[in-house]
Amino acid sequence: MASGFAGRLRDGELGSLPVVLGLLVIAVLFQALNPRFLAPGNLVNLTLQATPLGVIALGTVVVLLVAQIDLSVGSVSGLASAVVGVFAMRLGWPMIVGVLAAIAAGAAIGAFYGFLLTRFGVPSFLITLAGLLAFLGVQLALLGPSGSINIPFTDPLVQFANTWFLPPWVAYIIVGVAALAVLGTGLARRRRRMLAQLPAEHPSVTIVKAAALLVALCIVVWYLSLDRGTAIMPVLFLLLVVVVSYLLRRTRWGRSVFAVGGNVDAAGRAGLPVTRTLITAFVICSALAALGGVLSAARLGSATTLTGSADTNLNAIAAAIIGGTSLFGGRGSAWSAVLGVLVISAISSGLTLLNLDASVRYIITGAVLLLAVIVDSLSRRSRATHGRA
């Protein structure tokens, strides 16, 4: 086992383990400096605050997997919040119409990016940089001179983002379903590998993984219930992560995403739909950015110029990379968004409890991002060297 671990370390195949260990270090450090960090109330707030950014980071993961980048996710999220405010508050349309219009606008923006990339070969860096500026301007124009559109606290969207929590028994049922799903998919994967005469892990390993997940999640639900409980909005985020993870790992489109990100020329020669894959990746990214903007406006109770502010782009990209998605494409997971946003949100929450200003948060987050990129680069170089050998 030691040699296996050493080999995985040498080849850069430790997966999410370094991020999980980093989260534990962050938690222990901030708890030692301020005992309120791991208090149930603070953790509930942390999950609520992390969700909008996590949804945006999830879309960023998809774009990074095809070896592209979207610098405009913050502006798109801000534009989406303004669309919701205009439709629901100024025009008096039903809130659901405003939400759907905002997500549709995000998807249309992503399709436009993909068209420019695949039709004219304009680098995504430049396309989305232009989008960052243009859609920021549209957001400001929609918000008007006041720079904000208030959403009543009584609106269901605002309550969803702030006061809707699952009854404990429902949360435990969801935990049980998640553990059974892990068990079922693990056993099914083992069966497929056995039929293909490939090495497969012993069933006991899958059972232990499912049991460990069940125990861990039950502890989380119990601990959060000491305060307000499990919020519905983070559950929505995790559901989106599960859906995107399934699409990436179990569908032909997902296999195309990894192939295009790994080597776009080879993917094209293999007959994979490169153009369609790139366009759909940008559509998903921008649609999720728009949804993140809607959730951010709901969390704040208003659509303002602060929604999708300057650091949203940076934090979304940083969360994806810190969580384990390669900046060079072809390697990563939907769960990278969860791990990365937890790291960034934990750092922000801990520094806030210590009464340190934003400058320290930017410095620390930047250092963590730089470390993640260095690890990614070394892992990529190690795999390339190992492949040539």
Side-chain angles (χ1 to χ4, degrees):
M1 179 177 296
S3 60
F5 179 83
R8 293 176 63 193
L9 177 62
R10 183 183 61 252
D11 296 336
E13 298 294 343
L14 289 180
S16 60
L17 180 59
V19 188
V20 173
L21 293 178
L23 264 176
L24 292 176
V25 171
I26 291 171
V28 171
L29 176 62
F30 281 125
Q31 179 67 12
L33 295 174
N34 190 321
R36 289 184 297 166
F37 179 75
L38 292 180
N42 188 58
L43 294 184
V44 171
N45 288 333
L46 192 152
T47 60
L48 288 170
Q49 293 166 2
T51 295
L53 179 62
V55 173
I56 299 173
L58 179 60
T60 304
V61 166
V62 177
V63 162
L64 288 176
L65 285 175
V66 293
Q68 302 296 328
I69 196 166
D70 188 345
L71 300 177
S72 70
V73 287
S75 295
V76 172
S77 67
L79 173 62
S81 70
V83 169
V84 168
V86 169
F87 272 65
M89 298 296 105
R90 291 183 180 170
L91 300 180
W93 292 19
M95 180 59 75
I96 185 62
V97 175
V99 172
L100 293 177
I103 297 175
I109 291 170
F112 179 63
Y113 287 161
F115 170 76
L116 292 179
L117 172 67
T118 58
R119 180 66 177 82
F120 300 105
V122 183
S124 59
F125 179 91
L126 297 177
I127 297 172
T128 57
L129 180 60
L132 182 155
L133 299 173
F135 296 122
L136 175 59
V138 177
Q139 176 192 3
L140 296 176
L142 289 176
L143 293 176
S146 64
S148 66
I149 301 175
N150 293 328
I151 304 175
F153 189 77
T154 55
D155 190 274
L157 179 65
V158 178
Q159 293 183 345
F160 167 79
N162 292 277
T163 63
W164 286 10
F165 291 83
L166 292 173
W169 63 271
V170 174
Y172 285 118
I173 288 177
I174 293 175
V175 166
V177 171
L180 288 175
V182 169
L183 178 62
T185 54
L187 294 177
R189 181 171 58 252
R190 180 181 186 275
R191 188 180 305 113
R192 289 194 301 269
R193 293 185 66 85
M194 293 290 290
L195 291 175
Q197 298 183 345
L198 296 172
E201 62 184 16
H202 195 271
S204 61
V205 177
T206 303
I207 295 173
V208 169
K209 288 181 180 178
L213 179 66
L214 177 65
V215 172
L217 292 181
C218 282
I219 292 175
V220 170
V221 169
W222 165 79
Y223 193 65
L224 294 179
S225 67
L226 297 178
D227 188 70
R228 286 160 289 171
T230 305
I232 294 181
M233 188 169 69
V235 174
L236 171 64
F237 169 45
L238 292 178
L239 179 60
L240 289 172
V241 172
V242 170
V243 171
V244 173
S245 179
Y246 175 82
L247 292 175
L248 289 173
R249 298 294 179 182
R250 294 287 181 266
T251 66
R252 183 177 300 176
W253 173 81
R255 290 189 288 272
S256 297
V257 166
F258 285 100
V260 170
N263 190 319
V264 64
D265 294 329
R269 289 194 295 270
L272 296 177
V274 174
T275 298
R276 186 172 63 192
T277 301
L278 290 170
I279 292 176
T280 53
F282 275 99
V283 168
I284 291 174
C285 177
S286 293
L288 288 175
L291 177 58
V294 170
L295 296 178
S296 181
R299 177 72 180 150
L300 294 172
S302 64
T304 73
T305 55
L306 296 177
T307 308
S309 56
D311 64 342
T312 302
N313 296 318
L314 306 178
N315 283 335
I317 297 172
I321 297 173
I322 290 171
T325 298
S326 176
L327 186 62
F328 305 101
R331 185 169 64 90
S333 165
W335 294 97
S336 301
V338 179
L339 294 173
V341 80
L342 284 177
V343 170
I344 291 178
S345 298
I347 292 173
S348 178
S349 176
L351 294 178
T352 299
L353 290 175
L354 296 177
N355 294 319
L356 298 176
D357 60 25
S359 61
V360 180
R361 175 170 64 86
Y362 286 133
I363 293 171
I364 294 178
T365 304
V368 173
L369 174 59
L370 178 61
L371 178 62
V373 172
I374 291 173
V375 171
D376 180 31
S377 299
L378 292 177
S379 299
R380 183 169 174 264
R381 184 184 306 171
S382 176
R383 287 193 302 274
T385 303
H386 183 71
R388 288 194 298 267

